[in-house]
């Protein structure tokens, strides 16, 4: 799970598209109602560092939640 600064559904939809292209076999979703605006990625074939980089390239901050 990741904490993000994504606030709008339109932003989340765009990022889901970007992430899905990078990690096609992962289940990805945002919970924008959560105070941390959670990004969840489930699957064996994704890289947390790459996820953070992709969000930064698209103008958003992202931190791994433990």
């Amino acid at each position: 799970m990741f904490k993000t600064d994504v606030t709008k559904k339109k932003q989340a939809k765009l990022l889901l598209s970007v992430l899905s292209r990078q990690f096609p076999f992962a289940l990805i979703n945002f919970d924008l109602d959560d105070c941390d605006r959670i990004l969840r990625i489930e699957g064996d074939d994704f890289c947390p560092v790459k996820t953070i980089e992709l969000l930064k390239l698209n103008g958003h901050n992202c931190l791994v939640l433990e």
Side-chain angles (χ1 to χ4, degrees):
M1 283 195 319
F2 300 87
K3 176 180 179 174
T4 74
D5 65 354
V6 177
T7 58
K8 297 181 179 162
K9 288 182 182 182
K10 187 175 180 179
Q11 295 168 329
K13 187 175 180 179
L14 173 69
L15 291 168
L16 286 172
S17 176
V18 169
L19 291 166
S20 292
R21 275 184 261 135
Q22 185 67 40
F23 310 116
F25 300 107
L27 297 174
I28 307 168
N29 65 62
F30 279 92
D31 182 354
L32 300 182
D33 294 327
D34 186 276
C35 65
D36 289 327
R37 295 175 294 275
I38 299 293
L39 166 62
R40 290 184 185 88
I41 303 179
E42 296 178 34
D44 296 330
D45 195 27
F46 85 95
C47 173
V49 173
K50 185 67 174 175
T51 300
I52 293 167
E53 288 174 4
L54 285 170
L55 263 71
K56 283 187 179 183
L57 284 172
N58 285 277
H60 293 281
N61 292 313
C62 178
L63 300 168
V64 174
L65 284 177
E66 309 237 350

